[in-house]
Amino acid sequence: MTRVPARLPRQLALVFAPLDKRAFGLAVGVVLAIALLSLTIVSLFVDPHQQFPLALLREYLLGYAVTVRGAMIGAAWMFFIGFVWGWFLAFCRNLVLAIWLIAIHVRADVAASRTFLDHI
């Protein structure tokens, strides 16, 4: 007796689809770069006395300063950091999801074949 695999609804199939690591890394990197760039530019023009401690980022981002040039350098760093974190998060999500789906598939196969000898 062969089992026909059940078709998943489209929405459910999209939930289990793997994330594209490069696209997710690119998206996270762009968002972080734009966030740092806009935060620095707004801080330059709205808060000229630098009461918001953005200068602390220069400890983590080489070449960053609360200037327009420093904002560009910081945006490049944040893009790189965001890309690496996004790629890594997508990789981990895909790995955990694949292991989980394999475990479910193995459990279902074991449960289906558990009574195999009873039918002989």
Side-chain angles (χ1 to χ4, degrees), residues 99-118:
I99 291 171
W100 183 64
L101 287 175
I102 289 171
I104 288 174
H105 187 67
V106 167
R107 285 183 193 156
D109 282 347
V110 168
S113 64
R114 183 168 287 162
T115 60
F116 173 73
L117 293 176
D118 294 341

Side-chain angles (χ1 to χ4, degrees), residues 27-48:
V28 172
V30 166
V31 167
L32 288 180
I34 289 173
L36 181 70
L37 185 66
S38 60
L39 186 64
T40 304
I41 298 298
V42 166
S43 177
L44 274 173
F45 294 114
V46 174
D47 189 17

Side-chain angles (χ1 to χ4, degrees), residues 55-76:
L56 292 175
L57 286 175
R58 100 180 78 155
E59 298 296 324
Y60 301 104
L61 309 174
L62 184 65
Y64 175 77
V66 187
T67 61
V68 175
R69 182 174 182 259
M72 296 294 188
I73 294 171

Side-chain angles (χ1 to χ4, degrees), residues 59-101:
E59 298 296 324
Y60 301 104
L61 309 174
L62 184 65
Y64 175 77
V66 187
T67 61
V68 175
R69 182 174 182 259
M72 296 294 188
I73 294 171
W77 272 109
M78 288 306 283
F79 174 77
F80 175 73
I81 292 168
F83 180 83
V84 170
W85 272 102
W87 188 94
F88 182 71
L89 287 174
F91 173 78
C92 289
R93 186 252 184 203
N94 291 344
L95 180 66
V96 167
L97 188 66
I99 291 171
W100 183 64
L101 287 175

